[in-house]
Amino acid sequence: YLGMPLGAHYKDPSIWNPIIERMEKKLAGWKQLYLSKGGRLTLLKSTLSSLPTYYLSLFTIPQHVADRLERIQRNFLWGRSNDVFKFSLVAWEKVVWPVEVGGLGIRKIGLFNQALLGKWLWRFGNEVTHLWRQVIASKYGEASGGWCTRVVRGTHGCGMWKNIRKGVESFFGHMLYAAGEGFRIRFWYDPWSSPTALKDLYPAMFAIAMDKSAMISDMVDYAPDGGGRSWNLRFRRAFQDWETGIFYDFFAHISSKLPRGGDDTMIWQLNRSGVFDVRSFYFSLLAAPLVSFPWKSIWCVKVPKRVAFFLWTAARGGLLTIDNLVKKTLPLVNWCCLCRCEEETVDHLLIHCKYAYTLWSEVLRLFGVQWVMPKNVVSLLTAWW
């Protein structure tokens, strides 16, 4: 009933055919004739969210399948088909950026799949007593601390977990550990006192440590009468004079972070709650640049979706003005179609052309506004907000 054929191999392309066929059906070419680009965007997002997430949250999607699904989306957004060619107004790498930094917020399927699989790594570290976790751990063995399995090296019967485990490096790069008793946290290697591991914060201390793979619990002494705990730091030799100051800084750093008892836990650093969520992991994998973009002036106003989409395209400089057509290797003479005085660019055609400027002045005069037009469309939208 989950839609996955029993016993099927997830790398078999035929397993993914139902998803491809469903997307092709929902994004059929005839629908382009009746929808504006704003309507296509709405349908695109609803189609992707209705994909069977059971597939993507358990199995690694083959790259060629992800590429084909994104090609279907891209062609639908820009109105392309087998019989009709149309230019892509904005690069797809920018379309998939979040809305806040100038994209359309369409999810990149491969990265979204990897973010969904990260949920299993989080559950493996936390659901210690669950049956599925015990089965995986007994089959592949646990790495130090039991937060994940060892590297899967077998060739048979391990493809699914092997592919889930491939995301360990990017996943645990956003993890911080909270020490309870300290039985599962490595003193030097795991980031528990700060987002950076102690071996990287204090390499001189790490170099002379007695046991570099010690757990936090191995470095703590308990008072005989149960009165308290203290650090028991062991080094291979006495400190040199130049190392004394480093040791004082090191000890001051960990002195207030003695384990308080209880279970060791993981803390997800990409949100305030400290609990893993797919959305924050996806955005970290996407690695979109943190740029300023006037998205509120485009998407948070009461205008039709097609108008907002046109504004977004203009702000991204993607309208098919002559300068953009020339960049696409079309042999055209670049001059403005209105004034015939300057080159036709998005900013000139919409703002600085004498005819466009006259129209702006007339409209603004009706509202009693005196306005100096900025250099480009992005600056104009920013100033309006």
Side-chain angles (χ1 to χ4, degrees):
Y1 72 98
L2 290 170
M4 173 62 70
L6 293 177
H9 196 277
Y10 74 97
K11 287 187 178 180
D12 187 352
S14 63
I15 297 303
W16 299 89
N17 285 342
I19 289 184
I20 296 175
E21 292 171 359
R22 186 176 301 184
M23 181 169 283
E24 287 179 337
K25 182 178 180 180
K26 290 193 174 184
L27 303 181
W30 63 267
K31 295 183 181 180
Q32 300 172 5
L33 303 176
Y34 302 98
L35 292 173
S36 65
K37 288 188 176 68
R40 295 177 202 168
L41 175 62
T42 302
L43 183 58
L44 257 181
K45 291 185 175 181
S46 65
T47 300
L48 185 57
S49 63
S50 65
L51 278 176
T53 53
Y54 177 74
Y55 279 68
L56 298 177
S57 61
L58 189 59
F59 300 100
T60 303
I61 187 171
Q63 187 60 44
H64 66 90
V65 176
D67 292 341
R68 183 174 177 184
L69 291 173
E70 289 187 0
R71 185 164 59 251
I72 294 171
Q73 292 177 301
R74 185 166 58 248
N75 291 341
F76 182 79
L77 179 65
W78 303 124
R80 263 189 225 153
S81 65
N82 294 331
D83 303 323
V84 178
F85 173 79
K86 290 189 177 181
F87 288 112
S88 298
L89 303 184
V90 179
W92 189 251
E93 291 74 15
K94 297 180 180 179
V95 170
V96 298
W97 288 354
V99 172
E100 293 80 4
V101 296
L104 292 179
I106 299 174
R107 288 170 177 165
K108 200 166 180 62
I109 295 176
L111 296 182
F112 183 55
N113 175 223
Q114 187 177 345
L116 286 170
L117 295 179
K119 184 71 173 181
W120 290 102
L121 297 174
W122 172 265
R123 292 180 61 184
F124 186 92
N126 286 283
E127 300 178 359
V128 180
T129 60
H130 288 224
L131 178 61
W132 76 270
R133 196 263 190 201
Q134 295 175 2
V135 172
I136 296 294
S138 63
K139 184 172 184 179
Y140 305 118
E142 296 184 17
S144 180
W147 302 111
C148 192
T149 64
R150 297 174 183 173
V151 178
V152 181
R153 302 188 184 278
T155 57
H156 300 287
C158 61
M160 186 171 66
W161 183 256
K162 184 177 182 179
N163 281 279
I164 292 175
R165 199 195 178 284
K166 285 181 179 179
V168 161
E169 186 175 348
S170 57
F171 176 81
F172 283 100
H174 305 294
M175 198 64 65
L176 188 67
Y177 298 95
E181 292 292 347
F183 293 113
R184 300 180 62 190
I185 303 174
R186 296 175 296 176
F187 182 82
W188 292 102
Y189 284 92
D190 292 331
W192 60 275
S193 62
S194 71
T196 305
L198 288 176
K199 72 179 184 64
D200 298 320
L201 279 178
Y202 301 96
M205 296 293 98
F206 176 69
I208 62 174
M210 181 73 73
D211 185 1
K212 292 181 170 58
S213 59
M215 297 293 179
I216 292 179
S217 57
D218 301 328
M219 310 291 281
V220 177
D221 274 346
Y222 299 87
D225 57 354
R229 312 179 183 200
S230 61
W231 289 113
N232 180 17
L233 307 177
R234 297 180 291 273
F235 298 94
R236 290 187 291 105
R237 59 171 174 80
F239 297 120
Q240 303 289 344
D241 292 342
W242 62 272
E243 293 173 331
T244 305
I246 299 176
F247 173 75
Y248 287 149
D249 291 340
F250 166 69
F251 191 77
H253 176 74
I254 65 172
S255 60
S256 61
K257 297 179 174 62
L258 273 166
R260 303 300 181 185
D263 295 330
D264 300 330
T265 57
M266 296 191 297
I267 301 174
W268 186 246
Q269 297 186 74
L270 296 181
N271 57 32
R272 295 181 180 180
S273 66
V275 179
F276 173 84
D277 69 294
V278 173
R279 186 174 185 270
S280 62
F281 191 28
Y282 169 75
F283 286 145
S284 71
L285 294 172
L286 185 61
L290 297 176
V291 296
S292 177
F293 189 79
W295 63 277
K296 290 184 179 180
S297 295
I298 297 174
W299 303 110
C300 294
V301 291
K302 295 180 180 180
V303 298
K305 205 75 168 181
R306 65 180 184 277
V307 176
F309 192 96
F310 176 84
L311 266 180
W312 173 81
T313 310
R316 299 300 310 180
L319 299 181
L320 289 180
T321 49
I322 294 181
D323 67 323
N324 283 330
L325 291 172
V326 170
K327 292 176 184 177
K328 299 180 186 298
T329 69
L330 293 182
L332 299 171
V333 178
N334 190 357
W335 62 358
C336 176
C337 64
L338 294 179
C339 65
R340 304 289 180 99
C341 296
E342 298 184 38
E343 293 183 352
E344 183 180 286
T345 65
V346 174
D347 299 324
H348 172 79
L349 188 64
L350 298 182
I351 299 177
H352 301 300
C353 174
K354 62 182 181 181
Y355 293 103
Y357 185 78
T358 300
L359 179 59
W360 279 114
S361 299
E362 288 295 322
V363 173
L364 293 173
R365 185 178 58 82
L366 296 176
F367 293 92
V369 175
Q370 293 183 348
W371 191 269
V372 177
M373 284 296 170
K375 184 178 180 180
N376 51 47
V377 174
V378 172
S379 299
L380 179 62
L381 294 172
T382 303
W384 276 352
W385 184 258

